[in-house]
Amino acid sequence: MRAFDVVKAVALATALAAPVGAAAQGLFAPAVTVNGSAVTNYELDQRAKLLAAFNTPGDLGAEARKQLVEEKLKLQELNSAGMQLTEEGLEAAMAEFAQRANLSLDAFLAQLATQGVARETLRDFVRVNASWRDYIRRRYGSGVDVSEAEIDAALARTGGPESVELLLSEIIIPAPPPRAAAAMARAEAISKLRSTAAFEAEARAVSALPSRAQGGRLDWAALSDYPAGLHGLLLSLEPGEVTPPIPIRNGVALFQLRDIREAPQAPAAIAEIDYAQFAIPGAGTAQAQALAEAARIDGLVDTCDDLYGVAKGLPEERLVRQSVAPAALPQDLGLELARLDPNEASWNLSQDGTLFFTMLCSRTPVAAEGVDRESVRNRLLSQKLSARADILLAELRAQARIGQ
């Protein structure tokens, strides 16, 4: 090769290499330092992509920066305390995290990879936050207690569980005797889901309720609207978790918690529920005719009293109206009435070839009683630990040297 050609080749190679090297240098350059430890542009980019994969709202760049600075502070505190998650513990924590999306860890990582998120990014995210959670429990758990007086004060402020509102999704799988085992097996599989999208898909596929059209989603409702026997179970759920299968007459029910909040104004506990049921023969053998008759009756009545006109001249047992304590209701009827407002009707229940036009007449409130104090204790304990963690993180941030 002539000398002139050599010079040209070297110049071309240098020109091509320079931008790549500069880009790589910029990508891994520090974007911010925390006590001398760098958060790189690459980490910021990866965290923003991870947040996007989690459908996080807001300014993802700003949130990525905030999280990574806080995680540097957490990691430095964990190192000082000698807290390190073992490799086995880390793999288990990552698998548990993936399970929330109803995926295996490998499948979850493959999905993240399609969105440009590296395995190490999830690994670092889980490592710090799982270790921090354990550290807070170890550091403060023995010194944090909830007294009976605090539980009393909390109940006085909120009115007990009646002040709690739940955002649930529901599924009821029909389970007549020939299909009971198959229905329970399907329900067991659904109960392990942690993804709202997966639960909604199952609701559309198997639920017998009209709510299946919207993936089983229900509106906000007071805890007190649901059967008292389910209060502890529903309060024990974390968002995304599903109840174990709940056997009901000729069916299996499941609920997924989407959110929980305190009611702006606590509704009173319910002492008595007044309801009516009008029996329509033909469920199963003549389902279409029975459903059409129920829809016709719904167009005729505005209140429970109007059902007496519908039942006029028919055998007395066709119309039943009762006022009972919520605890005295069969679970399937209690769940059905929980969905209804006064003078609203449904026709989802059936038994032995009979469809029941069910109408809620009224709910009679009383002062709150029968409070689940252990649920209140756990909630207050969680709040105290979270507050301690926030204070510690604020102190670490105040003492830190954070540079651009």
mmCIF file of all heavy atoms in Angstrom, residues 66-85:
data_model
loop_
_atom_site.group_PDB
_atom_site.id
_atom_site.type_symbol
_atom_site.label_atom_id
_atom_site.label_comp_id
_atom_site.label_asym_id
_atom_site.label_seq_id
_atom_site.Cartn_x
_atom_site.Cartn_y
_atom_site.Cartn_z
ATOM 1 N N LYS A 66 -34.542 10.575 40.585
ATOM 2 C CA LYS A 66 -34.895 10.578 42.017
ATOM 3 C C LYS A 66 -34.691 9.182 42.616
ATOM 4 O O LYS A 66 -34.101 9.036 43.689
ATOM 5 C CB LYS A 66 -36.348 11.014 42.177
ATOM 6 C CG LYS A 66 -36.905 10.916 43.589
ATOM 7 C CD LYS A 66 -38.337 11.436 43.627
ATOM 8 C CE LYS A 66 -38.971 11.248 45.008
ATOM 9 N NZ LYS A 66 -39.251 9.829 45.301
ATOM 10 N N GLN A 67 -35.196 8.153 41.919
ATOM 11 C CA GLN A 67 -35.071 6.793 42.441
ATOM 12 C C GLN A 67 -33.617 6.359 42.558
ATOM 13 O O GLN A 67 -33.219 5.756 43.565
ATOM 14 C CB GLN A 67 -35.831 5.814 41.544
ATOM 15 C CG GLN A 67 -37.344 5.888 41.672
ATOM 16 C CD GLN A 67 -38.032 4.765 40.915
ATOM 17 O OE1 GLN A 67 -37.387 3.845 40.419
ATOM 18 N NE2 GLN A 67 -39.357 4.826 40.826
ATOM 19 N N LEU A 68 -32.828 6.645 41.545
ATOM 20 C CA LEU A 68 -31.441 6.183 41.553
ATOM 21 C C LEU A 68 -30.604 6.895 42.613
ATOM 22 O O LEU A 68 -29.723 6.288 43.232
ATOM 23 C CB LEU A 68 -30.823 6.350 40.164
ATOM 24 C CG LEU A 68 -31.331 5.342 39.122
ATOM 25 C CD1 LEU A 68 -30.922 5.758 37.725
ATOM 26 C CD2 LEU A 68 -30.822 3.942 39.441
ATOM 27 N N VAL A 69 -30.858 8.171 42.840
ATOM 28 C CA VAL A 69 -30.160 8.888 43.925
ATOM 29 C C VAL A 69 -30.539 8.258 45.268
ATOM 30 O O VAL A 69 -29.670 7.981 46.114
ATOM 31 C CB VAL A 69 -30.507 10.388 43.904
ATOM 32 C CG1 VAL A 69 -30.062 11.066 45.205
ATOM 33 C CG2 VAL A 69 -29.857 11.067 42.703
ATOM 34 N N GLU A 70 -31.828 8.008 45.477
ATOM 35 C CA GLU A 70 -32.278 7.406 46.728
ATOM 36 C C GLU A 70 -31.701 5.999 46.902
ATOM 37 O O GLU A 70 -31.332 5.601 48.017
ATOM 38 C CB GLU A 70 -33.809 7.360 46.777
ATOM 39 C CG GLU A 70 -34.442 8.731 46.937
ATOM 40 C CD GLU A 70 -35.960 8.669 47.008
ATOM 41 O OE1 GLU A 70 -36.520 7.581 46.727
ATOM 42 O OE2 GLU A 70 -36.571 9.694 47.351
ATOM 43 N N GLU A 71 -31.604 5.259 45.810
ATOM 44 C CA GLU A 71 -31.077 3.898 45.913
ATOM 45 C C GLU A 71 -29.579 3.896 46.210
ATOM 46 O O GLU A 71 -29.079 2.981 46.873
ATOM 47 C CB GLU A 71 -31.401 3.120 44.643
ATOM 48 C CG GLU A 71 -32.881 2.733 44.583
ATOM 49 C CD GLU A 71 -33.292 2.093 43.276
ATOM 50 O OE1 GLU A 71 -32.417 1.581 42.551
ATOM 51 O OE2 GLU A 71 -34.500 2.102 42.964
ATOM 52 N N LYS A 72 -28.853 4.897 45.727
ATOM 53 C CA LYS A 72 -27.440 5.016 46.101
ATOM 54 C C LYS A 72 -27.321 5.242 47.611
ATOM 55 O O LYS A 72 -26.466 4.652 48.282
ATOM 56 C CB LYS A 72 -26.786 6.172 45.347
ATOM 57 C CG LYS A 72 -26.505 5.906 43.883
ATOM 58 C CD LYS A 72 -25.391 4.887 43.682
ATOM 59 C CE LYS A 72 -25.084 4.682 42.210
ATOM 60 N NZ LYS A 72 -24.071 3.614 42.002
ATOM 61 N N LEU A 73 -28.187 6.106 48.146
ATOM 62 C CA LEU A 73 -28.179 6.366 49.582
ATOM 63 C C LEU A 73 -28.545 5.105 50.367
ATOM 64 O O LEU A 73 -27.915 4.779 51.383
ATOM 65 C CB LEU A 73 -29.160 7.487 49.918
ATOM 66 C CG LEU A 73 -28.815 8.882 49.377
ATOM 67 C CD1 LEU A 73 -29.985 9.832 49.573
ATOM 68 C CD2 LEU A 73 -27.562 9.422 50.048
ATOM 69 N N LYS A 74 -29.557 4.379 49.878
ATOM 70 C CA LYS A 74 -29.956 3.143 50.542
ATOM 71 C C LYS A 74 -28.818 2.118 50.520
ATOM 72 O O LYS A 74 -28.528 1.468 51.525
ATOM 73 C CB LYS A 74 -31.192 2.554 49.860
ATOM 74 C CG LYS A 74 -32.476 3.345 50.055
ATOM 75 C CD LYS A 74 -33.616 2.715 49.259
ATOM 76 C CE LYS A 74 -34.905 3.507 49.406
ATOM 77 N NZ LYS A 74 -36.005 2.916 48.593
ATOM 78 N N LEU A 75 -28.184 1.992 49.363
ATOM 79 C CA LEU A 75 -27.108 1.013 49.214
ATOM 80 C C LEU A 75 -25.934 1.330 50.130
ATOM 81 O O LEU A 75 -25.341 0.437 50.747
ATOM 82 C CB LEU A 75 -26.654 0.965 47.760
ATOM 83 C CG LEU A 75 -25.636 -0.115 47.384
ATOM 84 C CD1 LEU A 75 -26.193 -1.501 47.690
ATOM 85 C CD2 LEU A 75 -25.270 -0.004 45.907
ATOM 86 N N GLN A 76 -25.604 2.604 50.241
ATOM 87 C CA GLN A 76 -24.511 3.005 51.128
ATOM 88 C C GLN A 76 -24.855 2.705 52.592
ATOM 89 O O GLN A 76 -24.000 2.252 53.357
ATOM 90 C CB GLN A 76 -24.196 4.494 50.928
ATOM 91 C CG GLN A 76 -23.557 4.786 49.573
ATOM 92 C CD GLN A 76 -23.611 6.255 49.169
ATOM 93 O OE1 GLN A 76 -24.013 7.115 49.951
ATOM 94 N NE2 GLN A 76 -23.200 6.534 47.947
ATOM 95 N N GLU A 77 -26.111 2.928 52.967
ATOM 96 C CA GLU A 77 -26.543 2.610 54.335
ATOM 97 C C GLU A 77 -26.529 1.103 54.565
ATOM 98 O O GLU A 77 -26.108 0.630 55.631
ATOM 99 C CB GLU A 77 -27.949 3.171 54.565
ATOM 100 C CG GLU A 77 -28.565 2.835 55.917
ATOM 101 C CD GLU A 77 -27.892 3.542 57.084
ATOM 102 O OE1 GLU A 77 -27.075 4.451 56.855
ATOM 103 O OE2 GLU A 77 -28.194 3.171 58.237
ATOM 104 N N LEU A 78 -26.963 0.349 53.584
ATOM 105 C CA LEU A 78 -26.965 -1.116 53.700
ATOM 106 C C LEU A 78 -25.548 -1.656 53.835
ATOM 107 O O LEU A 78 -25.289 -2.559 54.635
ATOM 108 C CB LEU A 78 -27.651 -1.737 52.475
ATOM 109 C CG LEU A 78 -29.169 -1.517 52.369
ATOM 110 C CD1 LEU A 78 -29.668 -1.914 50.980
ATOM 111 C CD2 LEU A 78 -29.898 -2.309 53.442
ATOM 112 N N ASN A 79 -24.618 -1.097 53.058
ATOM 113 C CA ASN A 79 -23.226 -1.531 53.142
ATOM 114 C C ASN A 79 -22.636 -1.224 54.514
ATOM 115 O O ASN A 79 -21.892 -2.025 55.081
ATOM 116 C CB ASN A 79 -22.394 -0.862 52.045
ATOM 117 C CG ASN A 79 -22.716 -1.419 50.665
ATOM 118 O OD1 ASN A 79 -23.211 -2.542 50.535
ATOM 119 N ND2 ASN A 79 -22.453 -0.635 49.627
ATOM 120 N N SER A 80 -22.985 -0.058 55.052
ATOM 121 C CA SER A 80 -22.492 0.309 56.387
ATOM 122 C C SER A 80 -23.022 -0.644 57.453
ATOM 123 O O SER A 80 -22.342 -0.939 58.437
ATOM 124 C CB SER A 80 -22.922 1.737 56.736
ATOM 125 O OG SER A 80 -22.328 2.672 55.853
ATOM 126 N N ALA A 81 -24.257 -1.123 57.232
ATOM 127 C CA ALA A 81 -24.876 -2.032 58.207
ATOM 128 C C ALA A 81 -24.495 -3.484 57.954
ATOM 129 O O ALA A 81 -24.893 -4.370 58.726
ATOM 130 C CB ALA A 81 -26.389 -1.877 58.155
ATOM 131 N N GLY A 82 -23.731 -3.731 56.884
ATOM 132 C CA GLY A 82 -23.351 -5.103 56.568
ATOM 133 C C GLY A 82 -24.503 -5.947 56.077
ATOM 134 O O GLY A 82 -24.488 -7.177 56.206
ATOM 135 N N MET A 83 -25.512 -5.298 55.494
ATOM 136 C CA MET A 83 -26.695 -6.000 54.977
ATOM 137 C C MET A 83 -26.490 -6.295 53.498
ATOM 138 O O MET A 83 -26.385 -5.369 52.683
ATOM 139 C CB MET A 83 -27.950 -5.147 55.154
ATOM 140 C CG MET A 83 -28.464 -5.092 56.576
ATOM 141 S SD MET A 83 -29.463 -6.523 57.018
ATOM 142 C CE MET A 83 -30.885 -6.327 55.953
ATOM 143 N N GLN A 84 -26.424 -7.559 53.157
ATOM 144 C CA GLN A 84 -26.290 -7.942 51.759
ATOM 145 C C GLN A 84 -27.234 -9.100 51.470
ATOM 146 O O GLN A 84 -27.301 -10.064 52.245
ATOM 147 C CB GLN A 84 -24.857 -8.357 51.425
ATOM 148 C CG GLN A 84 -23.874 -7.210 51.378
ATOM 149 C CD GLN A 84 -22.512 -7.643 50.857
ATOM 150 O OE1 GLN A 84 -22.258 -8.829 50.717
ATOM 151 N NE2 GLN A 84 -21.660 -6.679 50.565
ATOM 152 N N LEU A 85 -27.950 -8.996 50.375
ATOM 153 C CA LEU A 85 -28.840 -10.064 49.952
ATOM 154 C C LEU A 85 -28.011 -11.160 49.295
ATOM 155 O O LEU A 85 -27.157 -10.884 48.444
ATOM 156 C CB LEU A 85 -29.860 -9.501 48.945
ATOM 157 C CG LEU A 85 -31.166 -10.265 48.743
ATOM 158 C CD1 LEU A 85 -31.951 -10.340 50.045
ATOM 159 C CD2 LEU A 85 -32.017 -9.568 47.679
#
